[in-house]
Every structure is written in C-alpha cells, then in structure tokens.
C-alpha cells in the first residue's frame, strides 16, 4: 500500500517517540477496531499490511476530508430535501402558514438541543479517545449511558412541549401555532436516541451511518409533509391544522432515521459476533483493547461506573449544547419578538405572521450553507480531539487551519452569490419578489454562520467548551436589542440587519479564540487579498451575466425566467470563482491532492490548462 493510503497523510505522521511508546497498545487497538470488518479477506489483508482499519484511530487530512465530504454531500441532499419541504408549503398554503411553521420550528430545534444537551458531539469525542487507547468496551459504555440519559431527557422535553403548547403559543404572540407545537413534539421521543447512535459511529470514524440516516430522515419527512399538505388542503382544513400537518413530517422522518441507525447497529453486532468465531480470536482484545495483565502498570486506568460516566458526559455536554445553539437561539429570538413587534406596529396576527413568512424566505438557502459546515464539524471535533489527546500539536494546527480556510472560502462565495441572486431566487422558490431586500441582507449570515460553526468546533475539539456559549449568548442579546430598536421602524429589513450584527459578533469572537487556541496565525496580506479578489471576479461575472440570462427566455412565465436566471447565475458564479481561486493560487495542487476524487485526471487536466503551478 502506498504512503498516505491508510488515511494518514505524509505531513501528519505521528512523532517517532509516540509510535515507540505505544506500539503494542495501538497495533492491538488497530487490529480489533471499533468497526468490525465485513469480510475475512479484508481482515487478513489488513493484518498482513500492519495498517489500521478504517475507523481505527482517527483520520489524517485525507481521511478527514473524505469523512467530511461524505457528510457534506448528505447534508446538501438533506437540506435540498428540506428546502423542497418549505417551498411547496409556502407555495400552496401561503406565507401565513409559512410564518407559523417558521415560528414553531426554531422552538422545536431549541428544545431538541436542550434535550440532547450536546451529547452527540461529546459521544464522538469520548468514543474517539477511548478507541485510540484500545478501551473499546468503554467506548460502547459511552453509547449505552448516553442513550439512556437522552431517552429520559427527550421524554421530559416531549411532555413539556406537548402539554404547554397553548401557553407557549400565546407567549409567542401566535395562538394559532399551538397545534403545530404539539405535532412536532413527538419527534423528541425519537431524535435523542438517534443522535446518540450517530455520535458513536462518528467517534469510530464511520460517517456513512449518519449520512444515510440524514438522507432517509429528510426524504420521509418531505414525503409525509407533502402527503398531509395535499390531504388537508383538499379537506379545506384551517391554517393552524395545515401548519400542524407540516410539522408532523419531522416526527415521521425521525422514526425513519432511527430505523436506519438501528439497522447499522444490528449489522455491527452481527459482524462482531462473526469475528468472535474466527480462529485466533481473543475476547479481551475485542472487548476492551488490552487485557489488564497486558497494560503497563503506569497506563492502567480505572473504569468509571455508569453514574460517574453520565455525570462526566453531562459536564462536557452542557457547555457544548450552549455552544451549538447559535441558529436556534437567534431564531427563537425572532419567533418570540418579531410577531409581537410587528403587531405593535399596527398589524393583526395574520398580517404579522405573513411578514414573518416573508422574512424567512432567505432562511432555507442560508441553512443549506450552514448544514454543509455543520457536517464538516462532525468529522472535525473527534479528529482534533484525538490529535490533542495524543499531544500532536502539528496535526491540531493543520486540521484546524485547513477546516477554517476551506469553510471561509465556501462561506464567502455563498453569501455574495445569494445576495447577488436574491431577487430571481426569491421569485423562483416563492413566486414573489416581496421580502427580497431582507433576503439579500440575510445572505451574509451564511458566511458568518459557517465561520462560527467551524471555529466553535475547533474550540470544542480542544476542550474549550464554555467560550462558544458565552459568545453566542452575547450575540443573542445583540439580536434581541437590534430587533427592539430596528423592527418597529424598518420591519423585517431591520430584523435582517440585526441578525447580521449578531452573527458577526459571535463569528468574530469565536474565530479569534479558535485561532489563538489552535496556534494558527491569523491570515494577512496575500492570504486575505487573494480570496477577496476572487470574490470580486465572481461579483463582476454575475453582474455581467445575469442581465443577459434574464433576456434569453422571453416566452417563459416570470417564475421560469427567474429560474433560468438564478440557476444560470449559480453555475456561472461558481465557475468564475473556481477559476479565480486557481489563477490566484488560493487553491493549489497540494490542496486538490487531499481530496481523493480530484486526484489523477482532474488534476492532470488543470495542470495541462496551466491552472495549477
């Protein structure tokens, strides 16, 4: 096998003293990985090569990017499906129902995060650290304990949301939202356990279970929502009932996602049982790495009891929970203040919810970008935690720097592209240009959300759990104050500017802390100017191309013309931006070599075109 094919890039090899100190322990952990192998041929080939199995230990840059790319693709597919869920809801049921849905969903998301209390990321962190030490039975104990805790908190959260729906809806200034709150609460009985399973497999370095469960969850969610939407519209149901039917799709999708995770867990158990029956099997290795007699006296560690482990997980999880609440908390501030503030300006409940629906036209596209970044953090947290655990500061720096740089480039392009194409995208998706200015302003929260999510994950991987929470609480206060000052005078446009200010504060504080903690130098000079020049080239290209695209299909209806302009603009903008990044050497051949899909012919083609140096 060639160097680098085991998921450890040449520039991220372990220090020699580390390999000498822990060779026996690490090799045994590699041989008896958390992830059982599906075939005996693969097992024999891996033993002969003395290389770790996939999921044994944590990935280097290439394997990390592979896992992040897998989750990123799943996130894009899932969010596209989620966007498809919102578009027919607004198109068929109108902006009032759309406003109710968007008022309820941040509340559900917040309660869900509080119920799971950040456990998925913490589970992946603990599992990855136990796995690299060969303590595999304790890794499975983490899953068992976290699942029990999460099922209990999920049941409590369901009871609070279901029984208190009427009071919560009145506090929001939208009494008609009560049925939707009750409808979505059932998902809290399912999602927490599914989240624990996802965290376990991610900690083992296996991203496929999470990716597939995300896609299945969203597919079922969209299908159920569409079916109920069409049925309730046919029956002539009230707007409150239609909104409740739309939110029930979350509960149905959660059941489907859990079924996928349970199928992977059952397959995992069957493979372990098959491995146990193979010749030369050693129970102590499969159960927990080294037997106690094999562990050097200086390395023996006392195993925690279930209650002690639960308290330790909670101590880590609660700050992580607060650090993951950026979008839900800020969305909840809008849900509890915007309808009331708009109503105070003279609008009745229906008109206020209609304006709130317009305000949320930009959210699906912003959340699409944020979901890509969030999927990257699922692989980033355990990768940085494992490197920090074994004292490899160079790996910490390289992984943090690469993730921050990549997501910043994505976020810049997404924000400027969405802002420039806001009007045709609004018409394409929502049949109107109303709310376009607010949508254009909110586009810039995409870049800020990406930076905040990834920088916060770097801090979490390094054990700085409380800092992101503090920064986000400060951002929520800025959003609350901004709404109070700007919404009465400027309506939803003022709320959009308040959101940009809040996200900018959180992103700036979190990024500065992450760079300092990971010992990554702040970008300056050419590292700043080159990406900005690429954004300038993309902006100039879109300003030149979109008027031409708008004139191409004169026979199409307005929505079809908007679709041609928006989709053509996305393609043209992406092409110009990619070429600019290559010409300005923001992206180099070394960067492309880290992505397996771009090695070989794609890289060779770019080299022949003299776009790589």
């Amino acid at each position: 096998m060639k160097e680098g094919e085991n998921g450890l890039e040449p520039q991220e090899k372990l220090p020699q003293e580390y390999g000498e100190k822990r060779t026996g322990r690490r090799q045994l952990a590699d041989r008896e990985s958390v992830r059982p192998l599906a075939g005996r041929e693969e097992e024999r080939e891996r033993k002969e090569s003395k290389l770790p199995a996939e999921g044994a230990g944590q990935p280097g840059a290439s394997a990390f990017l592979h896992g992040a790319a897998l989750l990123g693709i799943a996130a894009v597919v899932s969010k596209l499906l989620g966007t498809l869920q919102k578009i027919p809801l607004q198109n068929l049921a109108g902006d009032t129902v759309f406003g109710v849905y968007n008022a309820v969903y941040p509340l559900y998301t917040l309660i869900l995060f509080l119920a799971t209390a950040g456990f998925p990321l913490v589970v992946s962190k603990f599992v990855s650290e136990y796995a690299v030490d060969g303590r595999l039975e304790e890794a499975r104990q983490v899953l068992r304990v976290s699942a029990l805790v999460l099922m209990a908190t999920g049941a409590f959260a369901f009871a609070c949301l279901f029984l208190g729906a009427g009071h919560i809806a009145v506090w929001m200034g939208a009494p008609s939202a009560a049925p939707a709150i009750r409808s979505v609460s059932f998902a809290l009985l399912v999602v927490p356990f599914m989240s624990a399973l996802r965290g376990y497999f991610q900690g083992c370095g296996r991203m496929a279970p999470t990716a597939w469960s995300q896609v299945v969850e969203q597919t079922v969610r969209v299908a159920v929502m569409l079916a109920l939407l069409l049925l309730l519209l046919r029956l002539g149901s009230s707007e409150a009932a239609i909104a409740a039917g739309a939110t029930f799709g979350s509960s149905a999708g959660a059941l489907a996602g859990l079924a996928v995770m349970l199928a992977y867990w059952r397959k995992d158990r069957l493979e372990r049982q098959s491995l146990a029956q193979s010749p030369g099997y050693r129970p102590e290795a499969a159960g927990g790495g080294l037997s106690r007699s094999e562990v050097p006296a200086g390395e023996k560690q006392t195993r925690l009891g279930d209650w002690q482990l639960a308290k330790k997980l909670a101590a880590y999880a609660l700050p992580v929970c607060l650090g993951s609440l950026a979008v839900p908390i800020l969305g909840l501030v809008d849900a509890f203040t915007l309808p009331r503030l708009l109503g105070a300006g003279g609008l009745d409940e229906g008109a206020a919810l209609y304006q709130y629906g317009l305000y949320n036209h930009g959210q699906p596209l912003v959340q699409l970008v944020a979901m890509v970044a969030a999927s990257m953090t699922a692989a980033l947290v355990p990768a940085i935690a494992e490197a920090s655990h074994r004292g490899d500061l160079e790996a910490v720096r390289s992984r943090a720097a690469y993730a921050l740089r990549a997501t910043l480039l994505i976020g810049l392009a997404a924000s400027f592209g969405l802002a420039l194409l806001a009007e045709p995208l609004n018409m394409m998706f929502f049949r109107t240009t109303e709310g376009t200015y607010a949508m254009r302003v909110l586009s810039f929260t995409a870049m800020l959300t990406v930076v905040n999510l990834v920088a916060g994950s770097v801090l979490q991987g390094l054990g700085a759990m409380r800092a992101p929470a503090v920064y986000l609480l400060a951002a929520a206060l800025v959003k609350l104050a901004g709404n109070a000052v700007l919404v009465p005078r400027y309506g939803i446009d003022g709320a959009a500017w308040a959101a940009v200010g809040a996200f900018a504060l959180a992103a700036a504080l979190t990024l500065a802390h992450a760079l300092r903690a990971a010992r990554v130098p702040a970008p300056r000079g050419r590292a700043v100017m080159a990406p900005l020049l690429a954004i300038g080239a993309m902006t100039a290209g879109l300003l030149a191309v979109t008027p031409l695209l708008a004139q191409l299909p004169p026979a199409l209806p307005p929505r079809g013309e908007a679709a041609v302009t928006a989709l053509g603009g996305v393609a043209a903008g992406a092409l110009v931006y990619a070429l600019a990044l290559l010409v300005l050497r923001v992206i180099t051949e070394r960067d492309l070599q880290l992505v397996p899909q771009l090695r070989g012919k794609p890289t060779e083609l770019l080299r022949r075109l003299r776009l790589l140096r």
Side-chain angles (χ1 to χ4, degrees), residues 114-139:
L114 291 174
T116 56
F119 267 77
L121 277 176
V122 172
V123 169
S124 69
K125 170 183 168 65
F126 274 69
V127 167
S128 66
E129 291 179 356
Y130 282 141
V132 79
D133 283 341
R135 301 160 66 186
L136 308 183
E137 184 59 36
E138 288 167 89

Side-chain angles (χ1 to χ4, degrees), residues 534-542 545 570-582:
I535 288 294
M538 185 191 78
T539 301
L542 283 176
V545 168
V570 169
L575 178 61
V576 172
Y577 185 61
L579 290 174
L581 291 178
L582 291 169

Side-chain angles (χ1 to χ4, degrees), residues 311-384:
K311 290 193 293 184
K312 186 176 181 180
L313 289 170
Y316 275 87
L318 290 175
V320 174
C321 165
L322 295 176
S324 303
L325 291 178
V327 175
I329 283 181
L330 293 171
L332 198 66
V333 169
D334 283 334
F336 275 86
T337 60
L338 269 183
R340 284 187 173 278
L341 290 171
L342 291 170
L347 300 178
D348 59 22
E349 181 186 345
L353 288 173
Y354 178 83
Q355 286 293 314
Y356 189 50
L358 293 176
Y359 173 77
N360 281 282
H361 282 190
Q363 292 298 338
L365 300 176
V366 171
Q367 290 168 3
L368 172 61
V369 180
M371 281 295 294
V372 174
S375 68
M376 194 170 192
T377 67
L380 180 63
V381 170
I384 289 182

Side-chain angles (χ1 to χ4, degrees), residues 504-543:
L505 176 65
L509 293 174
T510 310
L511 177 61
H513 193 164
L515 292 174
R516 185 170 64 253
R519 300 182 183 179
V520 176
R524 63 190 65 181
R526 189 181 185 283
V528 174
M529 291 304 301
L532 292 180
L533 287 174
I535 288 294
M538 185 191 78
T539 301
L542 283 176
L543 291 176

Side-chain angles (χ1 to χ4, degrees), residues 379-415:
L380 180 63
V381 170
I384 289 182
E386 182 269 339
S388 178
H389 179 68
R390 57 182 166 83
D392 191 346
L393 298 181
E394 182 57 35
V396 170
R397 279 195 294 268
S398 65
R399 293 171 188 180
Y402 197 91
L404 289 168
R405 176 169 167 263
T407 51
L408 184 60
L409 293 177
I410 294 171
L412 276 170
S415 285

Side-chain angles (χ1 to χ4, degrees), residues 127-493:
V127 167
S128 66
E129 291 179 356
Y130 282 141
V132 79
D133 283 341
R135 301 160 66 186
L136 308 183
E137 184 59 36
E138 288 167 89
R140 288 189 282 271
Q141 182 194 14
V142 170
L143 173 61
R144 185 180 71 252
V145 171
S146 62
L148 290 173
V149 172
L150 289 176
M151 285 190 292
T153 56
F156 177 76
F158 160 76
C160 292
L161 210 58
F162 186 85
L163 298 176
H167 296 292
I168 295 171
V170 171
W171 296 337
M172 295 171 66
S176 59
I181 294 174
R182 293 191 185 94
S183 175
V184 79
S185 66
F186 289 99
L188 293 167
L189 297 173
V190 180
V191 175
F193 182 40
M194 178 175 63
S195 299
L197 285 169
R198 286 177 176 175
Y200 173 78
F201 281 108
Q202 287 165 195
C204 297
R206 298 180 63 186
M207 306 302 168
T210 295
W212 281 110
S213 69
Q214 284 178 346
V215 173
V216 170
E217 178 186 0
Q218 288 289 358
T219 301
V220 173
R221 178 183 175 188
V222 171
V224 171
M225 188 281 292
L226 286 174
L228 290 175
L229 179 61
L230 294 173
L231 176 63
L232 293 172
L233 286 172
R234 186 180 182 87
L235 295 175
S237 301
S238 66
E239 291 178 336
I242 294 172
T247 56
F248 185 74
S250 298
S251 301
L255 281 172
L258 177 60
V260 172
M261 296 305 302
L262 289 175
Y264 270 101
W265 177 249
R266 182 176 181 275
K267 179 182 178 183
D268 191 75
R269 290 186 61 185
L270 292 175
E271 290 174 350
R272 284 203 303 269
Q273 292 172 2
S274 175
L275 187 62
Q277 298 171 2
S278 62
Y281 168 75
R282 291 191 291 172
E284 70 277 2
L290 298 171
S291 67
R292 292 197 177 273
S293 62
E294 293 175 292
V295 179
E299 293 190 24
K300 289 186 178 179
Q301 302 184 46
T302 303
R303 177 175 171 177
L304 297 176
D306 287 355
W307 177 244
Q308 291 175 305
L309 179 60
K311 290 193 293 184
K312 186 176 181 180
L313 289 170
Y316 275 87
L318 290 175
V320 174
C321 165
L322 295 176
S324 303
L325 291 178
V327 175
I329 283 181
L330 293 171
L332 198 66
V333 169
D334 283 334
F336 275 86
T337 60
L338 269 183
R340 284 187 173 278
L341 290 171
L342 291 170
L347 300 178
D348 59 22
E349 181 186 345
L353 288 173
Y354 178 83
Q355 286 293 314
Y356 189 50
L358 293 176
Y359 173 77
N360 281 282
H361 282 190
Q363 292 298 338
L365 300 176
V366 171
Q367 290 168 3
L368 172 61
V369 180
M371 281 295 294
V372 174
S375 68
M376 194 170 192
T377 67
L380 180 63
V381 170
I384 289 182
E386 182 269 339
S388 178
H389 179 68
R390 57 182 166 83
D392 191 346
L393 298 181
E394 182 57 35
V396 170
R397 279 195 294 268
S398 65
R399 293 171 188 180
Y402 197 91
L404 289 168
R405 176 169 167 263
T407 51
L408 184 60
L409 293 177
I410 294 171
L412 276 170
S415 285
F416 279 87
L418 291 177
L420 291 166
L421 296 172
E423 184 171 344
L425 286 170
N426 199 8
M427 174 61 75
M428 171 185 166
F429 285 124
F430 302 107
R431 301 185 303 174
T432 180
T433 58
E434 286 187 275
T436 292
Y437 182 81
M439 186 175 178
R440 182 172 287 121
V441 173
L442 283 171
S443 298
F444 291 97
T445 63
M447 174 184 63
L448 300 171
T449 301
V450 164
V451 172
N452 187 67
L453 282 170
V454 177
S457 295
V458 170
L459 291 177
Q460 290 162 7
L462 291 171
M465 303 294 183
R466 293 180 177 83
V470 174
Y471 302 149
L472 290 167
L473 287 175
L477 292 175
V478 169
K479 176 61 172 164
L480 184 63
N483 278 359
V485 173
L486 298 175
V487 171
R489 185 171 182 178
Y490 301 106
I492 60 174
D493 297 341

